[in-house]
Amino acid sequence: MEFPQQQKPAGDGKIVYPPGVKEITDKISNDEVVKRLKMVVKTYMDMDQDSEEEKQQYLGLALHLASEFFLRNPNKDVRLLVACCLADIFRIYAPEAPYTSHDKLKDIFLFITRQLKGLEDTKSPQFNRYFYLLENLAWVKSYNICFELEDCNEIFIQLFKTLFSVINNSHNQKVQMHMMDLMSSIIMEGDGVTQELLDTILINLIPAHKNLNKQAYDLAKTLLKRTVQTIETCIANFFNQVLVMGKSSVSDLSEHVFDLIQELFAIDPMLLTSVMPQLEFKLKSNDGEERLAVVRLLAKLFGAKDSELASQNRPLWQCFLGRFNDIHVPVRLECVKFASHCLMNHPDLARDLTEYLKVRSHDPEEAIRHDVIVTIINAGKKDLNLVNDQLLGFVRERTLDKRWRVRKEAMMGLAQLYKKYCLHHEAGKESAVKISWIKDKLLHIYYQNSIDDKLLVEKIFAQYMVPHSLDTEEKMKCLYYLYACLDTNAVKALNEMWKCQNMLRGLVKELLDLHKLPVSEANTTAMFGKLMSIAKNLPDAGKAQDFMKKFNQVLGEDEKLRAQLDMLISPTCSCKQAEICVREITRKLTFPKQPTNPFLEMVKFLLERIAPVHIDSEAISALVKLLNKSIEGTADDDEEGVTPDTAIRSGLELLKVLSFTHPTAFHSAETYESLLQCLKMEDDKVAEAAIQIFRNTGQKIETELQQIRSTLIPILHQKAKRGTPHQAKQAVHCIHAIFNNKEVQLAQIFEPLSRSLNADVPEQLITPLVSLGHISMLAPDQFASPMKSIVANFIVKDLLMNDRTVGNKNGKLWTTDEEVSPEVLAKVQAIKLLVRWLLGMKNNQSKSANSTLRLLSAMLVSEGDLTEQKKISKSDMSRLRLAAGGAIMKLAQEPCYHDIITPEQFQLCGLVINDECYQVRQIFAQKLHLALVKLLLPLEYLAVFALCAKDPVKERRAHARQCLLKNISVRREYIKQNPLAQDKLVSLLPEYVVPYMIHLLAHDPDFTKQHEYEQLKDIKECLWFMLEVLMTKNENNSHAFLRKMVENIKQTKDAQCPDDAKANEDFKNDKEYLSGEMRQMLLTGKPKPAPVLGAVNKPLTVPGRRLFTKTTTASDTVSNTSTNSSPLSSSSVNKNSNSNAATESLESRVQENNENPVIKNDDVKKEESSQNMTPVAGTEATPVKRRGRPPKTATASAEKAVTTAPTGGGTGRGRKRAADSNTSAESINIKVSKQQQQNDEGTKRQIDLQR
């Protein structure tokens, strides 16, 4: 159909309307306009691009619809219909629009864009027309016409803003698709994306906008993914200007640049291909806050779940890792926090992170060290395979951090891992084995001095290691196998924990008992002392004292509260009752209106420590059943990772420990029947533990369990006569503790044993000697007299004074227990029997103690070879010296014997700490420390530690210093806590050890010449070794007190030899009686600026070492090492010593215990050169014999001292001194050949521990 009259619409000016449509003007109503426009819309909708005649016919109408009347019509229906018509017109006339004016095109597209806002309301009756408009525009890509306009950007910006603002969750997929098509065509077919247009897209990615309109975010995200190839360049340009050039004014989004990078990376990493190198530049910025922002961004990018950025951009990853060492604390902190997500999401990067986390685990900032732990633990809790052994090692180290917050986090973290993987086995046995060390490490922390650490270990044990919430059988099974798997030190720590809790329960019980007494001043004073003792076992001692006073006041006023507390600490209290009591006490002390109640928290600490949450009668029965199953072979021992023998032995040890703390819980026939079965087992340790359990818990056996009694007595008799020494000791003590007719029972053991003693069969002597010794100690009134004849006729004359066998002459100073000859073991037990016999009598009416002390002194003088027949080996002599020194020290703990120990005997005993054998020194020092720290020995024995300054082994000196510190602190604390101690300050105050120390050093056998430099230097080192520890703190003006004390000593005479002018010369005339260090400390209170352990680390002179080189075999080296293990051994003194130090220690120990010590060639040359450089004019080199050798006059009279028992005490020294110049030729020549063999020219050996 043709319409020729319409080919020139401009000529006649007429507008042709579709059939049935009247003219549309401003003269008609809006409703009529709408009605007519609908018909127009229908007409254009039905037209297509091939209808040339219709296109020409309605061209005028198309131009008319773009007039101001329609574009600015106030009626939205009119505008919508016009917009639909215009959209169809662009479709029909495409590719050329009927509008040629750029301004008109701009107005039209802005008009259409405004109409698109109607898409927002999907429930509108006109929504379908709005959708048609959008669909038409998208399908035709009508907006592409705008590319020809100069200011097309304004149209596009308006369009994008409109579409992002109207989209919502009510739109279906088609609406979103058309919007996407419309916008993507503009981006992809244009010449580029301006910054303003890019901003309209990116603004929807900012977190604030993202949260407001999630659909707009999704639309922008999809748009960017679709147009990544085109828009990437524009994005790179934007970030380049902001990040590199610093032009923040280019966009309002500049301040959100890092948020945008994160979102863009999550959408498609390709969008940031050119941006990542710019971030590396920013990581090296001088601005700490800027580096922090970049680190936060990259942490999210690298740590994202599926991120491959670290592998794709290694330079950026390495640069990021470098920020772990950033000088800015927040940057390091952010890096550490990132590591947690990285370990969880990217286990392959753990190796890269490990080294950096290692450095940060030692960061000076507490918060960073704390977060390192949190990072590792969180990853480990998610999957143990995410953290390697190194990372777990960092957490392990931090359990000893100087800050409580860090230590607590490390300990709690390890506890959580242990509970998850070892207790609940959530990841199988392999993971459980991987962290099996945690249980030991956590318990080792109980050795720390901080009460906070101890309380946390107790809490961890109750909640994570053996959860108290489990039922009794499960709980005891957990404890049973835990105890079997712990190492030695962890077992000791756990035992100590139970001991401390039991001690605290005892203090609370004593406090409650005081409340039952009438009010008095003495009662109040005693109560105060108990409160102070309880407060010491709680955190923050100062506040704890105040809160305990308040708690005590509440106890005095509330009888029901006292009853609940009394029930809680009762030996018969069950675990369930304990929970009820704790809950009731807590409820009574809770104040609802008080949000935080520190008083209640402190009381909870106390209740947690004293409440029996694990052990009661039911628990002991469950443990015994487990033990029976192990004995019968029906237990799950192998599944739990322990052998049946180990389970039985450790189970008995566990019951033995609990028998000390919960004896009442054992009182049942079933329990004792099981223990009787253990007594019949071949394992000596098991039987010994069972006897000790009977000893601790069997007080009611005789009255209530006759059948058990009748079975037990013959077993105990048999163990006392023919069991091991330890079994014999426990059997005798068990009989004494639980039977009423103990005298009869002990006599039945004593008489046959005393008749069967035979020194010719020493193997069968050891157990009888042990039994006899303990019997005489426990029942001295009954057996003191019979023992006297045994001691005189058999012990001394037949056993100690005779050497029946010849020892091994291998030259070793120490051997293992198995290698010691039976005769020497019998002699050691004989010495112990003498001591036990005397300790039982506790009097010296028969002068037996004097004779015994002379015997022991003679043994020390003779170096252990009492008969001097040269039959005893060097190692056996060391054993006897140790036994003699320990015996004197044991007797000194009894006041009646301490009073008769002469100064010479005391000095001989003290010199054992300088014995030539390393193990003798080590064990003697341990015994000395333990007796002193329990305040069993008099104060003068503390002076013996001053001699440790001469010890050639660094670890021994360090151990001695630690012992001194501990003893001094114990004595000072005792004086503070006990007001009555003020009357005994002379025997308690550590400073009073100085006179004893000076006297002991003045009589040191090595101190023979008062003006010899080397000897004075050694004396100075010994003095400073003690004084440096005493004067670490100037408590109560102690420096002035010491100075005055030394001045007074200067005016005195030596009481041991008051008439000896030579001995008193140094006290009278030497003005330089103090070293420079000590003078400065005493005068100013400040030490010289030298290391505190300066004296400890200096090489010291050890007399009598022979200097020559030799090659030792591996067997020699091994045989001469220490075979003793103890919690106080030197290995535990310095846990941080490196492998080199350990090697040096081993070498020095080995060389020291060799008869011919190994000296390196270099050291020999140095020694010889040093000797050649310092000759003393006019003096003859006098050989100095080995420490421990007696003077001839003393050794010759050793036997006489024992047999004739003169009243003068020991007449010799424990260490041989250099021969005096006036010694007769005969006495000098006795040992001259041996001296020539040892060394013709050297007199001393320098041991440099720093080599």
Side-chain angles (χ1 to χ4, degrees), residues 853-869:
L853 286 169
R854 288 195 294 272
L855 171 71
L856 296 173
S857 301
M859 187 165 288
L860 289 175
V861 168
S862 62
E863 279 199 339
D865 187 4
L866 196 59
T867 62
E868 293 202 328
Q869 296 176 6

Side-chain angles (χ1 to χ4, degrees), residues 135 215 304 316 590 746 917 1047 1245:
E135 182 183 39
Q215 286 68 36
L316 182 62
T590 302
L746 294 176
C917 177
E1047 288 176 350
R1245 172 191 175 197

Side-chain angles (χ1 to χ4, degrees), residues 164 180 198 201-206 210 214 216-229 231 235 239 259-273 276 300-301 304 306-307:
F164 282 122
M180 180 60 55
L198 184 63
I201 302 172
L202 297 181
I203 195 171
N204 297 286
L205 305 181
I206 295 173
K210 174 182 176 180
K214 180 68 166 57
Y217 168 79
D218 291 336
L219 182 63
K221 177 179 174 182
T222 309
L223 176 62
L224 289 167
K225 278 188 175 182
R226 182 180 292 188
T227 61
V228 60
Q229 297 296 334
I231 207 169
I235 292 174
F239 285 118
D259 292 330
L260 290 174
I261 291 176
Q262 181 185 348
E263 292 295 341
L264 291 170
F265 183 82
I267 293 169
D268 190 340
M270 291 296 293
L271 290 166
L272 300 172
T273 303
M276 288 305 171
K300 295 171 183 176
L301 302 188
D306 300 317
S307 172

Side-chain angles (χ1 to χ4, degrees), residues 923-949:
I923 298 170
F924 183 81
Q926 291 166 7
K927 291 177 179 289
L928 177 64
H929 169 66
L930 290 175
L932 283 169
V933 85
K934 295 177 182 177
L935 300 180
L936 298 175
L937 275 175
L939 180 62
E940 59 256 42
Y941 284 82
L942 187 62
V944 174
F945 277 118
L947 295 172
C948 289

Side-chain angles (χ1 to χ4, degrees), residues 495-674:
N495 296 346
E496 182 67 18
M497 184 183 82
W498 282 326
K499 175 184 171 184
C500 290
Q501 291 174 343
N502 190 53
M503 178 268 296
L504 192 56
R505 277 194 290 271
L507 289 173
V508 175
K509 185 179 187 308
E510 291 169 5
L511 179 65
L512 290 175
D513 291 341
L514 291 173
H515 275 284
K516 298 175 184 177
L517 300 175
V519 178
S520 66
E521 185 176 349
N523 191 14
T524 304
T525 303
M527 203 175 285
F528 178 79
K530 299 300 177 191
L531 291 173
M532 294 303 100
S533 298
I534 292 172
K536 284 196 302 181
N537 292 278
L538 298 173
D540 197 348
K543 290 182 180 179
Q545 290 179 7
D546 296 335
F547 288 139
M548 285 301 101
K549 290 176 185 176
K550 182 178 178 181
F551 182 55
N552 187 54
Q553 185 179 352
V554 175
L555 283 176
E557 298 168 355
D558 193 333
E559 186 175 349
K560 290 184 178 179
L561 189 66
R562 288 203 304 275
Q564 291 284 357
L565 190 60
D566 196 29
M567 171 66 75
L568 183 64
I569 60 173
S570 168
T572 58
C573 181
S574 68
C575 297
K576 293 180 180 178
Q577 285 177 319
E579 291 181 10
I580 296 171
C581 291
V582 170
R583 191 161 53 245
E584 285 297 314
I585 294 171
T586 305
R587 185 181 61 79
K588 285 179 176 291
L589 298 176
T590 302
F591 304 102
K593 295 182 180 180
Q594 197 168 349
T596 58
N597 189 346
F599 166 63
L600 179 60
E601 293 301 316
M602 192 65 72
V603 174
K604 282 182 178 179
F605 276 124
L606 175 63
L607 297 179
E608 286 173 2
R609 295 204 75 183
I610 64 176
V613 294
H614 285 113
I615 306 301
D616 56 11
S617 299
E618 187 180 353
I620 294 297
S621 298
L623 280 174
V624 171
K625 288 178 182 176
L626 285 168
L627 181 64
N628 290 336
K629 287 183 179 179
S630 294
I631 294 172
E632 295 164 3
T634 60
D636 303 329
D637 297 336
D638 293 329
E639 291 183 13
E640 297 292 338
V642 295
T643 62
D645 289 342
T646 303
I648 295 169
R649 182 177 291 188
S650 62
L652 258 296
E653 287 296 321
L654 172 60
L655 289 170
K656 182 180 78 173
V657 173
L658 295 176
S659 70
F660 284 101
T661 56
H662 301 80
T664 310
F666 284 78
H667 192 65
S668 72
E670 181 185 5
T671 299
Y672 288 135
E673 287 287 352
S674 298

Side-chain angles (χ1 to χ4, degrees), residues 447-465:
Y447 287 110
Q448 297 301 311
N449 293 326
S450 169
I451 190 66
D452 291 309
D453 290 309
K454 295 179 186 293
L455 287 172
L456 186 57
V457 172
E458 292 180 9
K459 180 178 180 179
I460 287 172
F461 181 80
Q463 294 184 4
Y464 295 93
M465 300 177 77

